Amino acid sequence: MTGIVTKLTVSLSLILGLVATAVARPGLPQSKQEALDRYLEQVSTAKPVVLYTAHNRGNMQLAIANNGTFGTYGQDIPDPFTGERIPSCVYPKNSDHVYLWVGAFWIGAVVNRDTLVSVGTEDFYVTQELWPDPPPFGGFEYKSIDANSQFFDPDAYSEQDIFCTYTDTVTDPSLVSSDPLTAIPHRPLGIQVDQRSMAWSYEYADDFILFDYQLRNISRERLSKVYMGIWVDGDVWHTSRNGPEGWNDDIVGFLRDFPAPEGCGFRDTVNIAYTADNDGDPDGSSWDYRSPRGVVGARVVRTPSDSLSYSYNWWIINYSDPSRDFGPRLLSTPNDPYFDFGTGRLGTPEGDVNKYYVLSHREFDYDLITTAVNHEDDGYRPPPPNAEEYARGYDTRYILSFGPFTIDPGQTLPISFAWVAGEYLHRQPQDFEDLFDPDNPERFYEALDFSNLALNSRWASWVYDNPGRDTDDDGYAGKFRVCAYDSLIDRIDTITSGGGTIIDTIYRYTNADTAYYEGDGVPDFEGAGPPPAPRIRVIPENGKLTIRWNGYRSETTRDVFLGEIDFEGYRVYVALDDRRTSFSLLQSYDREDYNRYRYGTLPSGRDGWVLEEVPFTLDSLRILFADPDFEPLVYSEARPFYWDGEYYYFTRQDFNQSDLTSPDGIRKVYPDALPLDPDSSSWPDDEVVLEYGTPLPKYYEYEYTLDNLLPTIPYYVAVTAFDFGSPASGLPALETNPTNNMILEYPQTPADTVEKYGLDAYVYPNPYIGDGEYARIGFENRDRSRAPERARLIHFANLPRVCTISIYSLDGDLIRRIEHDYPSGGPESQHETWDLITRNTQAVVSGIYYWVVESADRTQMGKLVIVK
């Protein structure tokens, strides 16, 4: 990877001239595109090196860097785990809906008498003051709670922990710019940030990523009046619309609370700053695949103290005309006089002093869509001249900040925030067109649906700190609510105070529900999860795919909350593209077990049927009731089973589809194999199979065959594992995400068979017809994420594992060369595609072409025809 070099030199005379004339300072970019282009031009091999990696475990794909930023300035980066390219922040996963340009960590403090600020990046993308150590240090470290992961570590918190460290101590002027207002070189605060970001794939936890910062003062000076902030330039677009049409129509706001799902008039504290597209980009009067209808935002979940103040500020940058730069500003008061940035700008803070003011000034801005509404009664300045234009959506930034606190030399303080997404903010395609009125935006606002964002924000705070869990064993498990349905007067107390009499009525609830909604204040970074999904292997044949897996880890891993093995079964899925919503269930297996309901007292105090225990196997029930012929499903709510003074009834847990002998279902590969001792050192060689190089018992080896498939198209296949939930806590059964172990494969003759029998390579479709409607029938561009000319595919099949494919014109000119390199075999080792793009990145023209496949054993040649 490459380093980022930024250099900015501004004279004091230019700064003074800026204050007088409010003209953009020379040397600064004049548009967002120019700022981006300049940033990319400045990338070099300078040390230290800024590296990127990506969270891809859950329903959100997020690029993060090792310099206090997340997102990629709208550019694509290769996912280090999958090789696929990720643009900043994609939600839902693989949807090509992007919700972020770049976000960054900001911190400011007073050191002696100086006000200093260090940032990961800022509005002009020319100030980067947080840097990793030079190589070989400064990279990423990975850990995972997934027993099947190559990064498995018992000290991990999530399925994908990513660690990095950076500081603000770099002073090389080729890497850190001078203050744009004073021309003073960067003065470090002397901080080191140990960052840990975490992602999960569980259904309730796959729409957020948690960031935990351990902030250490490595200087010799006390940092006073410290404020921190999460700065976000959040643009929303589909990858086919990466440009001003995607940048300039977004809305920002702050959601303080939302009705709690439990009802009873309770409201959850949400406190999330968000970005969304103004209308979801409908295609006329309907939604299509390019419509980003969701919303993404930042929520602080931990600060060093509960008594800190929070601020939320947003602004619209105008690169070329500072007078059109805008952000809500409070009116001047005797106790809070107006602060002039001294740059002619109302919104964008330049320089340490202005950045610190925005970080520390106690202000909560109104939502962007209300910009044209007069907020003077709330203490704000009147709307700007372009208020109606801004209110309809614009290229906007925000910062969510908090403080103050003090960090002494050597002291470390913890900070945590959640990056949260929610689906379906926009409900109807024409809501914005029909309902939005800049002077009265309430009708449109009321049509927005924040329920999914609020729910995911709640889960983010709950995973950070589990409600009802006394983590430090001090007797306090968090805050709870009581929703009372019926009550009786228990007593009436008469209290005399200050010469008066107070009648205090004490009620006793006879019918109420109690629910914890906050934890005990001690971080958990943990949530209930399903068993680990198995690693799968796919064996291709012509028109057939056999999926094989070993379930040893899935079936023997204990749940961290239950303390016991809660494996229930497997499900097999298939899809034609890699989006989670595209997967269809083919087959399932689950153990034969039963839930036992007891008639007793519910938590609300009412009588009813209670599920308190984990499922029972049929054998365990027959032993418990001393009846070898006991059939649990004979008993129902209407006809319960009476035993030992209690009434019970039974239901299946899942489908109880436990047959593993059918050739059309999930089946045991070694039906005669027996379970082995947990001590792996005692496993006989003839009772184990190699699972990606690791010996595992044959007893857990399964397979499933998909037959009657079209050999010309690839299929995504996956196997999930699921549990039976947690009856005591009311948590439903959990299942792994099929996108986490999916494999793409063609149902074609495998490469080892091709090599063994010397089978001939072939090309399809041949001829390739440009108007053959291949995309419409799902033959290419299935997710419709690429322009038609860049989505065309010609396929090469019956390939050896390693070969070189060359395409020539009739004149012998090399058109394209493709290296097919799968020395170990595996998925797609027998197949390759050509996108009809030349080696000069131009689309090919109609004509006849030669193709040549060269391998170690032979050279094959053929013709192909392209008709466009």
Side-chain angles (χ1 to χ4, degrees):
M1 299 295 289
T2 55
I4 299 175
V5 180
T6 60
K7 184 174 181 180
L8 180 64
T9 304
V10 182
S11 69
L12 185 59
S13 61
L14 287 175
I15 295 171
L16 295 176
L18 172 64
V19 174
T21 62
V23 175
R25 287 184 286 112
L28 286 180
Q30 301 297 294
S31 68
K32 184 163 189 165
Q33 186 63 53
E34 184 182 341
L36 172 63
D37 292 342
R38 184 178 300 185
Y39 170 82
L40 296 175
E41 288 176 5
Q42 291 169 334
V43 174
S44 73
T45 56
K47 304 296 187 296
V49 177
V50 173
L51 301 174
Y52 284 89
T53 188
H55 278 293
N56 59 6
R57 186 73 182 189
N59 197 30
M60 180 195 300
Q61 296 156 294
L62 178 67
I64 61 174
N66 60 344
N67 69 340
T69 66
F70 52 100
T72 59
Y73 303 86
Q75 304 303 294
D76 291 351
I77 67 158
D79 184 322
F81 302 103
T82 67
E84 298 179 357
R85 305 192 71 80
I86 293 180
S88 282
C89 173
V90 174
Y91 179 79
K93 184 176 182 179
N94 298 326
S95 67
D96 291 321
H97 295 165
V98 185
Y99 284 85
L100 178 68
W101 191 258
V102 66
F105 176 80
W106 285 20
I107 180 170
V110 175
V111 183
N112 296 321
R113 292 185 298 174
D114 296 321
T115 299
L116 305 177
V117 175
S118 293
V119 302
T121 191
E122 44 76 74
D123 296 85
F124 293 98
Y125 318 138
V126 296
T127 303
Q128 289 89 30
E129 295 161 332
L130 301 174
W131 290 89
D133 288 337
F137 308 102
F140 293 102
E141 179 186 356
Y142 304 88
K143 293 182 180 181
S144 176
I145 61 174
D146 184 352
N148 284 314
S149 170
Q150 62 178 312
F151 304 114
F152 172 72
D153 191 307
D155 294 328
Y157 288 165
S158 76
E159 294 178 278
Q160 194 174 44
D161 288 11
I162 302 179
F163 300 80
C164 63
T165 297
Y166 43 88
T167 69
D168 76 333
T169 56
V170 173
T171 56
D172 182 346
S174 68
L175 295 173
V176 290
S177 59
S178 299
D179 189 293
L181 301 186
T182 66
I184 296 175
H186 168 62
R187 287 192 56 194
L189 289 163
I191 60 162
Q192 174 180 303
V193 181
D194 295 321
Q195 175 182 299
R196 180 181 200 158
S197 52
M198 294 154 275
W200 294 262
S201 65
Y202 315 151
E203 185 175 358
Y204 66 86
D206 64 354
D207 294 308
F208 59 81
I209 292 168
L210 286 175
F211 285 78
D212 184 59
Y213 301 107
Q214 298 295 316
L215 186 65
R216 185 183 178 196
N217 182 355
I218 59 175
S219 76
R220 298 180 179 179
E221 304 288 346
R222 166 178 279 194
L223 304 181
S224 302
K225 299 180 180 179
V226 179
Y227 285 85
M228 285 184 49
I230 305 301
W231 172 90
V232 174
D233 179 0
D235 299 325
V236 184
W237 74 94
H238 185 269
T239 52
S240 64
R241 294 167 169 162
N242 187 357
E245 64 175 320
W247 308 336
N248 290 336
D249 65 348
D250 302 320
I251 58 176
V252 296
F254 190 86
L255 184 66
R256 294 177 182 269
D257 56 29
F258 198 79
E262 295 81 7
C264 208
F266 296 132
R267 297 186 71 85
D268 281 338
T269 299
V270 179
N271 283 348
I272 188 167
Y274 64 84
T275 304
D277 190 76
N278 63 342
D279 62 358
D281 289 343
D283 182 20
S285 60
S286 61
W287 303 116
D288 71 1
Y289 69 96
R290 298 171 299 172
S291 301
R293 299 169 55 190
V295 55
V296 173
R299 173 180 181 174
V300 176
V301 296
R302 173 167 61 163
T303 61
S305 170
D306 293 336
S307 60
L308 302 181
S309 64
Y310 287 80
S311 298
Y312 166 70
N313 290 267
W314 62 262
W315 58 89
I316 291 169
I317 186 173
N318 190 295
Y319 290 94
S320 59
D321 185 356
S323 67
R324 287 175 57 88
D325 190 282
F326 172 73
R329 300 291 299 277
L330 291 172
L331 293 165
S332 183
T333 67
N335 294 326
D336 186 15
Y338 180 75
F339 185 85
D340 193 330
F341 286 165
T343 61
R345 297 181 182 274
L346 277 177
T348 306
E350 298 179 71
D352 281 5
V353 172
N354 291 336
K355 287 187 174 73
Y356 185 81
Y357 173 81
V358 172
L359 281 168
S360 61
H361 191 239
R362 298 185 180 183
E363 180 176 328
F364 258 86
D365 289 347
Y366 48 79
D367 291 352
L368 174 68
I369 63 173
T370 69
T371 301
V373 178
N374 193 313
H375 295 275
E376 290 184 84
D377 289 344
D378 297 322
Y380 284 89
R381 290 163 61 97
N386 307 99
E388 292 191 6
E389 178 186 0
Y390 297 156
R392 298 185 68 86
Y394 223 78
D395 184 12
T396 313
R397 290 93 161 106
Y398 69 77
I399 188 164
L400 181 61
S401 57
F402 50 88
F405 46 92
T406 299
I407 313 179
D408 288 318
Q411 184 180 10
T412 299
L413 293 181
I415 309 292
S416 303
F417 88 94
W419 185 246
V420 186
E423 292 190 276
Y424 308 123
L425 174 73
H426 296 287
R427 289 186 279 197
Q428 299 300 324
Q430 293 182 290
D431 277 351
F432 186 79
E433 181 180 344
D434 294 342
L435 302 178
F436 184 74
D437 177 359
D439 297 321
N440 182 24
E442 285 302 313
R443 289 181 62 213
F444 172 69
Y445 186 85
E446 290 171 358
L448 298 176
D449 185 356
F450 287 97
S451 60
N452 193 240
L453 178 69
L455 178 64
N456 295 334
S457 177
R458 166 194 256 207
W459 275 112
S461 68
W462 282 6
V463 169
Y464 157 70
D465 185 8
N466 303 163
R469 185 180 186 185
D470 183 8
T471 305
D472 56 0
D473 296 321
D474 66 351
Y476 176 66
K479 298 179 181 179
F480 60 88
R481 298 167 173 146
V482 178
C483 184
Y485 302 100
D486 300 298
S487 62
L488 296 173
I489 295 177
D490 190 53
R491 69 180 188 275
I492 299 177
D493 294 341
T494 302
I495 304 171
T496 302
S497 176
T501 300
I502 301 174
I503 305 299
D504 190 14
T505 304
I506 308 299
Y507 291 92
R508 176 167 54 89
Y509 298 123
T510 60
N511 196 349
D513 287 334
T514 300
Y516 282 90
Y517 66 96
E518 284 187 16
D520 63 352
V522 181
D524 296 299
F525 293 113
E526 193 171 43
R535 295 185 69 182
I536 65 174
R537 307 181 302 284
V538 181
I539 304 169
E541 297 178 63
N542 193 41
K544 180 187 299 186
L545 295 174
T546 298
I547 310 168
R548 185 171 287 189
W549 69 94
N550 191 285
Y552 174 73
R553 295 189 180 94
S554 302
E555 298 181 39
T556 60
T557 301
R558 292 184 179 275
D559 182 86
V560 295
F561 283 95
L562 288 177
E564 58 183 279
I565 297 170
D566 63 349
F567 169 81
E568 179 67 18
Y570 301 108
R571 295 189 177 112
V572 180
Y573 292 88
V574 67
L576 294 180
D577 62 58
D578 57 2
R579 293 172 295 182
R580 184 174 184 174
T581 54
S582 299
F583 280 86
S584 298
L585 177 64
L586 291 176
Q587 188 61 259
S588 68
Y589 155 79
D590 68 288
R591 291 176 168 173
E592 184 180 6
D593 47 10
Y594 301 86
N595 291 314
R596 183 174 77 163
Y597 290 83
R598 181 182 65 85
Y599 194 82
T601 303
L602 299 170
S604 63
R606 291 173 292 177
D607 289 338
W609 291 103
V610 184
L611 180 62
E612 304 167 307
E613 304 158 300
V614 300
F616 292 83
T617 64
L618 181 59
D619 287 342
S620 65
L621 288 174
R622 288 175 172 175
I623 293 172
L624 176 65
F625 299 131
D627 182 356
D629 299 318
F630 183 79
E631 293 294 337
L633 296 183
V634 170
Y635 304 99
S636 63
E637 286 187 75
R639 185 175 177 268
F641 173 66
Y642 183 77
W643 180 77
D644 199 21
E646 302 275 7
Y647 286 98
Y648 301 96
Y649 84 93
F650 304 85
T651 63
R652 290 187 181 91
Q653 171 63 39
D654 209 73
F655 294 106
N656 281 1
Q657 188 164 328
S658 55
D659 179 23
L660 290 171
T661 61
S662 171
D664 298 324
I666 296 172
R667 57 191 177 273
K668 287 265 192 178
V669 177
Y670 305 100
D672 297 328
L674 298 175
L676 300 181
D677 188 88
D679 180 10
S680 60
S681 63
S682 66
W683 294 349
D685 290 342
D686 61 349
E687 288 295 328
V688 299
V689 292
L690 286 180
E691 172 83 1
Y692 289 95
T694 301
L696 294 176
K698 287 183 176 179
Y699 176 80
Y700 298 99
E701 194 78 3
Y702 301 88
E703 68 180 11
Y704 177 77
T705 300
L706 289 76
D707 211 342
N708 299 315
L709 302 177
L710 290 174
T712 53
I713 63 175
Y715 297 83
Y716 286 93
V717 293
V719 176
T720 65
F722 60 96
D723 63 21
F724 50 69
S726 176
S729 64
L731 191 69
L734 297 173
E735 181 181 7
T736 58
N737 189 329
T739 64
N740 286 339
N741 69 350
M742 64 183 180
I743 287 180
L744 180 68
E745 182 60 288
Y746 288 81
Q748 297 174 351
T749 304
D752 55 354
T753 302
V754 170
E755 295 175 357
K756 181 178 180 179
Y757 296 103
L759 302 181
D760 293 336
Y762 62 91
V763 175
Y764 67 92
N766 191 11
Y768 181 93
I769 307 300
D771 59 357
E773 297 188 330
Y774 299 129
R776 185 185 64 80
I777 60 177
F779 189 72
E780 61 189 17
N781 203 19
R782 288 175 178 172
D783 59 5
R784 297 175 291 182
S785 62
R786 290 164 290 176
E789 195 60 43
R790 297 285 170 167
R792 302 183 186 279
L793 290 176
I794 284 180
H795 300 255
F796 294 82
N798 270 12
L799 296 178
R801 286 171 290 185
V802 178
C803 62
T804 300
I805 303 170
S806 302
I807 297 99
Y808 296 93
S809 69
L810 287 178
D811 294 331
D813 296 325
L814 177 64
I815 303 299
R816 182 75 176 269
R817 178 161 288 151
I818 302 169
E819 297 296 334
H820 179 77
D821 189 23
Y822 293 84
S824 301
E828 300 184 84
S829 58
Q830 80 285 21
H831 181 276
E832 192 61 76
T833 60
W834 174 39
D835 58 8
L836 278 70
I837 301 297
T838 72
R839 58 177 176 155
N840 298 318
T841 69
Q842 301 295 315
V844 297
V845 297
S846 297
I848 300 174
Y849 297 85
Y850 290 109
W851 58 264
V852 177
V853 174
E854 299 174 273
S855 61
D857 299 327
R858 61 191 296 209
T859 297
Q860 303 176 69
M861 182 182 297
K863 292 181 181 180
L864 63 90
V865 177
I866 298 174
V867 181
K868 300 176 71 175

